[in-house]
């Protein structure tokens, strides 16, 4: 007993039976096979399955053939004709077996009519019906592998060519005709549609696959309608203003709708008799209107008729527009850009959304779309260009009046700027410099500029940086080093990254303008104080100041040296040598002495009389020396002393020639004075050469002695 218990425990622990087959599902592919599937699809160990079937309402049974995918962990088995009977009821049981044992599934029951699956139908035409608007007729062939006596049900799905959303229509066909037709109505005029079809027997739960898609187009009709909008330009000097009209097919209009042209007429409000009419094939028109309120009407037309009239009111220049939008924001959700706004006027339920790229130049095209019964607007990102900034404005529309817009800017995708800012330096100082840079062109920003970062570095030193907001285009760098070279660049950043601008170099000053001003002020102030003190001193002691600035220089013409005689001359010399040093300063200045008016000529005449007393021999020699010189000789007595030898006896003779040019009275007086002083002067004193008197230097007038060829003979006669 105990042994049997241990054996049972061992078998329970170590034997692993296969999983019980569950979720059995069977499908009857009409006139092809009867297939069943179950789970689990994969076992931990090798398992093979056996499918038992009873059919003919339980009178017969069989097992799925071993060569029909029941070996090697396969969870599918098919029964093939001719053992398939329809209609009939089947029972299915699946048995799983591995090395450890066998396990069986529950018995399932199947009605073949409920699990029949047919082939899909084949569509061979989708065409409009002549004279019937907004309808196409679909024709197809009934599936061959479908019960002939059974009623088939169908599902038809359709969409426009450029749409991603399908619409479905369900219907049944009780006739058993080979060719089937169906009229699809409620479509848009002149629009191309894509059609697909599937079918199933009326009792079956399984649908066939979808048929191949087929396209067809509805008939053309008169234009559906227009959406009309305007852009108002500022008024000119003459009061006229440019109004740019734009229109397009109304929302929901046929995709393939075409217009042959457009009729436009406009008139001042309450003055329909002034209506003007225009025609164009374009979808925009420029009008020059006055400052009054105008009405504009536009219709499109083709060969089948005209569209409904689209009207728009142009307000007067001085008309005030209402404002009801309080806030607005834009955000990205998956592949769409969503704009939402909040309004303070619940009665406004229509809005006009306008958007255009924000470029450096005036935009050439505008896009707009009308929104009703909502305060949000959605556009696919594929319809907007990445890295472009868009101006989005929302206008409230109340009946025929348009209110003030609310505008924002948005990107569907941001990137790194294409180029960095252009930088320059101003006001370079000792320790400061002003950095300015230009905004990046809008076409190169690729996103919203979030900030600017200034990088600067001195030589091979450490790099520093300063970050400023995006609205700042100038910054003052401080705490720089005096007389130092720096390199600098500015980086512009968006949410996607940043890019550096141009690199510039600059050098700080060694001395500032303020320091130069202070030094100049100090020096100038010192000089001004010195001048003031000097003027004050001069006013207090004018003689001292005059003596210091303009010392007295004696006039040689007023000198008394010509009146000195004999012992008086010696006494003057001895007095100069023996005087006290204190009095020497005063003796250096010659005291004034009354003398003739022409003192210089007097001195020269006396000197000529002195020469007459010289011996004849020495005079002859002197005259020979004179003849060797140039005809005109200038004698300067202080610098060129003439010292002929003096005879013991000096005959006193008067020369007539020197006095010929001087008045007789003056010449005689001067001669007597000079001769009276000659005996007192010895030859040594006369020939003594000393330093010239500083008061006579450059002041002695030279006299020209004219020599002639007859001078020697005349001298001999006189001797």
């Amino acid at each position: 007993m105990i042994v049997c218990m241990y054996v049972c425990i061992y078998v329970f622990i170590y034997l692993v039976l296969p999983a019980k087959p569950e979720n059995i599902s069977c499908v009857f592919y009409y006139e092809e096979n009867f297939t069943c599937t179950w789970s689990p699809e994969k076992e931990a160990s090798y398992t093979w399955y056996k499918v038992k079937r009873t059919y003919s309402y339980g009178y017969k049974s069989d097992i799925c053939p071993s060569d029909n995918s029941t070996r090697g962990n396969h969870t599918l088995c098919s029964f093939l004709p001719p053992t398939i009977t329809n209609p009939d009821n089947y029972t299915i049981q699946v048995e799983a077996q591995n090395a450890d044992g066998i396990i069986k599934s529950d018995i399932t029951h199947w009605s073949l009519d409920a699990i029949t699956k047919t082939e899909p139908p084949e569509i061979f035409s989708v065409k409009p019906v002549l004279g019937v608007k907004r309808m196409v007729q679909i024709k197809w062939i009934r599936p061959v592998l479908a019960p002939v006596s059974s009623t088939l049900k169908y599902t038809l799905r359709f969409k426009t060519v450029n749409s991603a959303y399908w619409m479905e229509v369900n219907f049944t066909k009780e006739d058993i005709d080979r060719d089937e037709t169906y009229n699809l109505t409620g479509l848009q005029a002149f629009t191309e549609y894509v059609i697909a079809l599937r079918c199933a027997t009326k009792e079956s739960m399984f649908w066939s696959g979808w048929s191949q898609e087929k396209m067809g187009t509805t008939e053309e009709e008169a234009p559906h309608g227009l959406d009309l909008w305007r852009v108002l330009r500022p008024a000119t000097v003459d009061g006229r203003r440019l109004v740019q009209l734009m229109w397009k097919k109304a929302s929901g209009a046929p995709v393939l709708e075409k217009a042959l042209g457009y009729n436009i007429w406009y008139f001042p409000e309450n003055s329909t008799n002034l209506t003007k009419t225009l025609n164009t094939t374009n979808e925009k028109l420029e009008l020059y209107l006055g400052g009054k309120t105008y009405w504009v009407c536009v219709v499109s037309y083709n060969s089948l008729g005209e569209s409904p009239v689209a009207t728009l009111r142009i307000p007067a220049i001085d008309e005030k527009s209402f404002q009801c939008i309080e806030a607005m924001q834009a955000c990205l959700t998956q592949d769409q850009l969503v704009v939402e706004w909040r309004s303070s006027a619940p009665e406004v339920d229509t809005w006009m959304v306008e958007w255009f790229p924000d470029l450096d130049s005036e935009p050439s095209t505008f896009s707009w779309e009308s929104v009703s019964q909502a305060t949000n607007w959605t556009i696919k990102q594929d319809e907007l260009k990445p890295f472009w900034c868009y101006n989005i404005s929302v206008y409230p529309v109340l009946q025929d009046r348009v209110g003030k817009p609310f505008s924002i800017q948005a990107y569907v995708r941001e990137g790194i700027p294409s180029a960095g800012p252009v930088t320059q330096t101003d006001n370079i100082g000792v320790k400061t410099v002003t950095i300015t840079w230009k905004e990046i062109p809008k076409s190169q920003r690729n996103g919203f500029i979030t900030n600017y970062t200034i990088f600067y570095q001195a030589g091979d030193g450490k790099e520093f940086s300063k970050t400023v907001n995006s609205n700042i285009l100038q910054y003052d760098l401080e705490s720089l080093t005096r007389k130092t070279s720096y390199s600098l660049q500015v980086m512009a950043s968006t949410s996607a990254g940043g890019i550096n601008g141009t690199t510039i170099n600059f050098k700080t000053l060694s001395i500032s303008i303020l320091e130069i001003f202070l030094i100049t002020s100090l020096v100038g102030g010192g000089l001004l104080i010195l001048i003031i003190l000097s003027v004050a001193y001069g006013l207090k002691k004018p003689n001292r100041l005059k003596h210091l600035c303009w010392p007295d220089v004696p006039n040689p013409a007023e000198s008394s040296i010509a009146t000195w005689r004999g012992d008086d001359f010696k006494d003057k010399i001895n007095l100069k040598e023996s005087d006290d040093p204190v009095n020497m300063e005063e003796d250096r200045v010659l005291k004034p002495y009354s003398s003739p008016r022409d003192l210089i000529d007097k001195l020269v005449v006396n000197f000529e009389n002195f020469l007459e007393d010289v011996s004849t021999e020495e005079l002859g020699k002197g005259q020979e020396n004179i003849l060797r010189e140039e005809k005109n000789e200038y004698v300067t007595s202080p610098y060129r002393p003439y010292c002929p030898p003096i005879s013991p006896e000096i005959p006193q003779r008067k020369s007539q020639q020197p006095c010929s040019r001087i008045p007789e009275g003056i010449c005689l007086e001067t001669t007597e004075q000079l001769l009276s002083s000659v005996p007192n002067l010895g030859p040594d004193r006369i020939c003594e050469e000393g330093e010239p008197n500083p008061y006579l230097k450059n002041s002695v007038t030279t006299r020209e002695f004219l020599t002639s060829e007859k001078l020697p003979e005349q001298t001999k006669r006189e001797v």
Side-chain angles (χ1 to χ4, degrees):
M1 187 68 180
I2 297 175
V3 175
C4 292
M5 186 180 296
Y6 279 111
V7 171
C8 293
I9 295 173
Y10 176 81
V11 171
F12 180 78
I13 295 176
Y14 292 100
L15 293 180
V16 180
L17 297 176
K20 181 180 178 180
E22 296 178 346
N23 300 324
I24 300 173
S25 176
C26 298
V27 178
F28 173 44
Y29 295 96
Y30 187 75
E31 294 186 356
E32 287 188 353
N33 60 68
F34 177 83
T35 302
C36 296
T37 60
W38 58 90
S39 64
E41 297 180 355
K42 188 175 183 181
E43 291 283 355
S45 59
Y46 184 81
T47 304
W48 62 93
Y49 297 92
K50 183 186 297 184
V51 179
K52 294 181 179 181
R53 178 186 66 159
T54 62
Y55 62 99
S56 296
Y57 298 99
Y59 291 103
K60 295 182 180 180
S61 65
D62 61 357
I63 298 175
C64 186
S66 60
D67 59 347
N68 194 11
S69 304
T70 57
R71 291 183 176 271
N73 291 338
H74 291 288
T75 58
L76 179 146
C77 183
S78 297
F79 296 90
L80 302 176
T83 59
I84 299 175
T85 58
N86 186 36
D88 200 351
N89 292 327
Y90 291 174
T91 61
I92 299 295
Q93 185 180 35
V94 180
E95 184 180 287
Q97 181 179 358
N98 62 9
D100 295 328
I102 300 173
I103 192 168
K104 296 180 180 180
S105 69
D106 296 333
I107 298 175
T108 59
H109 301 270
W110 303 94
S111 173
L112 295 188
D113 291 337
I115 59 175
T116 301
K117 189 173 184 178
T118 65
E119 288 184 339
E122 181 182 354
I123 300 175
F124 62 86
S125 72
V126 178
K127 294 180 180 180
V129 178
L130 185 61
V132 181
K133 308 297 184 183
R134 304 186 181 188
M135 187 191 79
V136 292
Q137 188 177 72
I138 301 100
K139 293 183 178 182
W140 69 94
I141 299 175
R142 182 185 174 95
V144 176
L145 298 179
V148 176
S149 59
S150 298
T151 300
L152 297 181
K153 56 184 179 181
Y154 293 90
T155 297
L156 186 148
R157 67 178 185 180
F158 62 96
K159 67 173 183 176
T160 58
V161 172
N162 297 323
S163 176
Y165 303 98
W166 291 92
M167 292 175 286
E168 293 184 354
V169 176
N170 295 317
F171 59 93
T172 60
K173 285 289 186 179
E174 295 182 357
D175 52 8
I176 58 174
D177 295 337
R178 176 79 174 160
D179 297 337
E180 303 282 356
T181 61
Y182 182 81
N183 295 327
L184 181 61
T185 60
L187 305 179
Q188 297 179 4
F190 204 43
T191 303
E192 189 174 20
Y193 286 89
V194 180
I195 307 296
L197 193 65
R198 70 177 180 177
C199 65
T201 60
K202 189 175 182 179
E203 300 84 5
S204 178
M205 69 177 68
F206 294 110
W207 287 90
S208 68
W210 289 102
S211 66
Q212 290 187 349
E213 296 178 355
K214 198 79 172 179
M215 291 187 296
T217 305
T218 56
E219 274 196 343
E220 185 180 7
E221 60 183 23
H224 183 269
L226 295 173
D227 283 339
L228 183 60
W229 188 236
R230 84 291 186 272
V231 175
L232 304 179
R233 302 298 184 184
T236 58
V237 179
D238 58 356
R240 295 167 58 84
R241 53 180 169 166
L242 174 63
V243 178
Q244 183 178 353
L245 293 176
M246 304 173 291
W247 56 85
K248 62 181 179 179
K249 291 184 294 185
S251 178
V255 177
L256 301 178
E257 180 182 276
K258 294 180 181 180
L260 299 178
Y262 304 93
N263 291 325
I264 304 100
W265 62 93
Y266 59 97
F267 53 88
E269 193 172 36
N270 302 325
S271 300
T272 56
N273 57 333
L274 300 177
T275 302
K276 294 183 179 180
T277 304
L278 299 172
N279 180 270
T280 182
T281 57
N282 299 322
E283 291 186 344
K284 60 183 178 179
L285 181 68
E286 291 183 351
L287 298 176
Y288 284 91
L289 304 179
K292 300 179 181 179
T293 301
Y294 278 80
W295 283 90
V296 179
C297 303
V298 182
V299 296
S300 61
Y301 61 89
N302 59 14
S303 58
L304 300 176
E306 290 184 346
S307 70
V309 179
T311 60
L312 184 66
R313 181 178 180 271
I314 307 299
I317 294 178
D318 56 355
E319 181 178 323
K320 293 183 179 180
S321 302
F322 68 94
Q323 185 173 4
C324 64
I325 300 178
E326 298 177 343
M328 188 165 65
Q329 65 177 2
C331 58
L332 295 174
T333 58
Q334 296 179 353
D335 60 343
Q336 293 180 336
L337 174 66
V338 179
V339 179
E340 298 177 342
W341 57 90
R342 185 174 67 252
S343 173
S344 60
E347 65 274 11
V348 178
D349 59 356
T350 303
W351 317 86
M352 189 66 73
V353 181
E354 178 187 87
W355 70 96
F356 58 90
D358 184 18
L359 303 176
D360 297 312
S361 58
E362 186 71 18
S364 58
T365 58
F366 292 81
S367 301
W368 78 99
E369 184 176 341
S370 179
V371 177
S372 299
Q373 307 296 328
T375 56
N376 60 75
W377 171 74
T378 303
I379 186 173
K380 293 182 179 180
Q381 294 187 23
D382 297 340
E383 299 181 24
L384 303 176
K385 293 184 178 181
F387 313 132
W388 278 33
C389 179
Y390 284 87
N391 290 326
I392 303 175
S393 301
V394 177
Y395 293 80
V397 180
L398 182 60
Q399 296 179 357
D400 57 2
R401 296 181 180 270
V402 179
K404 290 184 179 180
F406 197 103
S407 302
I408 60 172
Q409 290 185 326
Y411 284 88
V412 295
R413 182 181 175 187
E414 295 191 49
I416 300 174
S418 302
V422 178
T423 311
Q424 64 181 10
T425 57
D426 295 320
N427 303 326
I428 299 177
V430 175
K431 293 186 177 181
T432 60
V433 65
T434 300
I435 308 300
T436 58
W437 57 91
K438 296 181 180 179
E439 281 189 303
I440 301 174
K442 296 178 181 179
S443 59
Q444 297 179 347
R445 293 178 189 175
N446 300 337
F448 293 114
I449 302 299
T450 56
N451 58 65
Y452 293 99
T453 304
I454 305 169
F455 297 97
Y456 61 99
Q457 183 178 13
D460 297 333
K462 182 181 178 181
E463 185 177 61
F464 298 92
S465 64
K466 298 287 185 180
T467 301
V468 297
N469 294 331
S470 59
N471 59 342
I472 297 177
L473 300 176
Q474 177 177 310
Y475 189 79
D476 295 330
L477 292 179
E478 300 177 350
S479 302
L480 302 179
T481 305
R482 183 189 299 264
K483 200 178 180 181
T484 304
S485 297
Y486 285 87
S487 60
L488 179 143
Q489 58 184 353
V490 178
M491 180 180 71
S493 301
T494 64
S495 60
I499 186 171
N500 292 327
T502 56
T503 301
I504 59 174
N505 299 310
F506 67 92
K507 186 175 183 180
T508 53
L509 302 178
S510 59
I511 184 171
S512 66
I513 297 177
L514 178 61
E515 293 173 344
I516 295 175
F517 177 77
L518 291 176
I519 294 173
T520 305
S521 300
L522 292 175
V523 174
L527 292 176
L528 181 61
I529 294 173
L530 180 61
I531 292 172
I532 294 173
L533 293 176
S534 300
V535 171
Y537 181 77
L539 294 175
K540 186 175 181 181
K541 295 181 179 181
N543 294 333
R544 289 288 185 88
L545 182 62
K546 181 179 179 181
H547 179 69
L548 291 175
C549 298
W550 302 281
D552 294 334
V553 178
N555 188 354
E558 299 176 357
S559 176
S560 62
I561 191 172
T563 61
W564 296 351
R565 296 183 178 90
D567 295 337
D568 188 30
F569 184 76
K570 292 180 179 181
D571 293 339
K572 292 289 182 178
I573 296 175
N574 294 333
L575 181 62
K576 180 180 179 181
E577 294 177 354
S578 61
D579 278 347
D580 188 69
V582 178
N583 299 326
M584 290 177 64
E585 189 84 15
E586 298 178 0
D587 293 341
R588 289 177 184 175
V589 181
L590 296 178
K591 296 180 179 180
Y593 185 81
S594 60
S595 61
R597 182 176 58 185
D598 196 356
L599 179 61
I600 302 304
D601 291 341
K602 181 178 178 181
L603 290 175
V604 174
V605 170
N606 290 340
F607 182 71
E608 291 174 354
N609 293 335
F610 171 76
L611 293 178
E612 289 180 358
D613 296 336
V614 181
S615 63
T616 304
E617 181 180 359
E618 295 297 327
L619 182 60
K621 294 179 180 180
Q623 291 177 349
E624 291 177 2
N625 293 332
I626 292 173
L627 292 174
R628 292 189 189 100
E629 301 292 336
E630 297 177 358
K631 292 182 179 182
N632 297 329
E633 181 181 1
Y634 296 89
V635 179
T636 305
S637 58
Y639 298 99
R640 295 181 62 186
Y642 180 69
C643 300
I646 302 175
S647 172
E649 296 181 358
I650 302 174
Q652 297 182 358
R653 302 181 64 91
K654 296 181 181 179
S655 175
Q656 301 297 328
Q657 185 176 357
C659 295
S660 62
R661 300 180 182 178
I662 305 174
E664 184 178 357
I666 298 175
C667 184
L668 291 175
E669 182 181 357
T670 305
T671 304
E672 290 177 358
Q673 293 177 358
L674 185 59
L675 290 176
S676 63
S677 62
V678 168
N680 297 328
L681 298 175
D684 295 337
R685 179 66 60 183
I686 294 175
C687 296
E688 181 180 357
E689 182 179 359
E691 293 295 327
N693 193 315
Y695 299 104
L696 299 179
K697 184 178 181 181
N698 298 330
S699 302
V700 179
T701 304
T702 60
R703 183 175 182 86
E704 180 181 4
F705 292 90
L706 301 177
T707 59
S708 63
E709 295 178 355
K710 296 181 180 181
L711 184 59
E713 295 179 358
Q714 183 179 359
T715 304
K716 289 181 181 181
R717 287 197 306 268
E718 293 178 355
V719 175

